[in-house]
Amino acid sequence: MRIGILSDTHGDLLSAQRALKAMGNIDLLLHAGDTYRDAKLLEEMIDIDVIAVKGNIDFHCEAPSETIITIEGKKIFLTHGHNYNVKFNLNRLYYKALEINSNIVIFGHSHMSMHKKENGIDFINPGSISRPRGGTKQSYAIMNVCRENVDIQLFNL
């Protein structure tokens, strides 16, 4: 399954649409928060499912702040990351992944893309397509998941 991953769109639907076009054919879009409303608007624009969580600026939003999905036998934990202090380190996310037996953790919040594998757990932050930080560029991720393999690629917009 080919999965597009976005985070921290912050109302920049034009950049989100550019990222979706650059992704090509995807089977699912994951949005790791900030802004949840963007994920819902994108879902109306495209003909695929969008799974999203709310972020730290999604005030008065009834959406979940985290969710767990299973794809091709891989357990994926999707969160924005602000509740796990991801701007400082991944320790709390790592222990959460162990607690729930997650294979893949997708998060945002830092606005900086990264992929790290720690003790068999993939940690993916697609960065931000609207407001990149730390000298990074607008970015998104693509994840190909099959039972035997997970392939993760980060792209600049």
Side-chain angles (χ1 to χ4, degrees), residues 1-4 25-30 49 51 69-72 76 142-147 149-151:
M1 178 177 270
R2 185 173 163 87
I3 302 166
N25 291 329
I26 56 174
D27 302 303
L28 177 68
L29 178 66
L30 301 179
D49 289 331
I51 298 173
I69 56 175
T70 302
I71 297 173
E72 299 286 334
I76 302 168
I142 300 269
M143 178 171 64
N144 287 295
V145 179
C146 65
R147 288 207 177 272
N149 190 32
V150 175
D151 179 55

Side-chain angles (χ1 to χ4, degrees), residues 5 75-79 81 84 86 89-108 112-127 141 143 150-154:
I5 307 170
K75 189 183 271 190
I76 302 168
F77 178 58
L78 177 65
T79 185
Y84 296 91
V86 297
N89 60 53
L90 299 182
N91 291 345
R92 291 181 63 200
L93 259 187
Y94 174 74
Y95 289 114
K96 177 67 175 184
L98 290 177
E99 175 187 324
I100 62 174
N101 199 30
S102 179
N103 307 99
I104 302 164
V105 177
I106 297 171
F107 65 101
M112 296 187 293
S113 63
M114 61 85 65
H115 172 229
K116 178 180 182 180
K117 193 160 191 141
E118 185 75 31
N119 293 327
I121 304 168
D122 283 293
F123 292 87
I124 308 157
N125 185 331
M143 178 171 64
V150 175
D151 179 55
I152 295 138
Q153 295 176 299
L154 301 169

Side-chain angles (χ1 to χ4, degrees), residues 24-85:
N25 291 329
I26 56 174
D27 302 303
L28 177 68
L29 178 66
L30 301 179
H31 191 293
D34 280 354
T35 302
Y36 183 80
R37 182 175 178 268
D38 295 349
K40 295 291 113 186
L41 291 171
L42 290 170
E43 187 170 37
E44 292 173 10
M45 293 177 197
I46 58 179
D47 193 25
I48 60 168
D49 289 331
V50 177
I51 298 173
V53 293
K54 67 181 177 180
N56 60 298
I57 67 160
D58 289 311
F59 308 111
H60 311 295
C61 180
E62 296 300 319
S65 60
E66 52 191 49
T67 192
I68 299 168
I69 56 175
T70 302
I71 297 173
E72 299 286 334
K74 307 291 184 193
K75 189 183 271 190
I76 302 168
F77 178 58
L78 177 65
T79 185
H80 184 57
H82 63 291
N83 292 326
Y84 296 91
N85 295 324

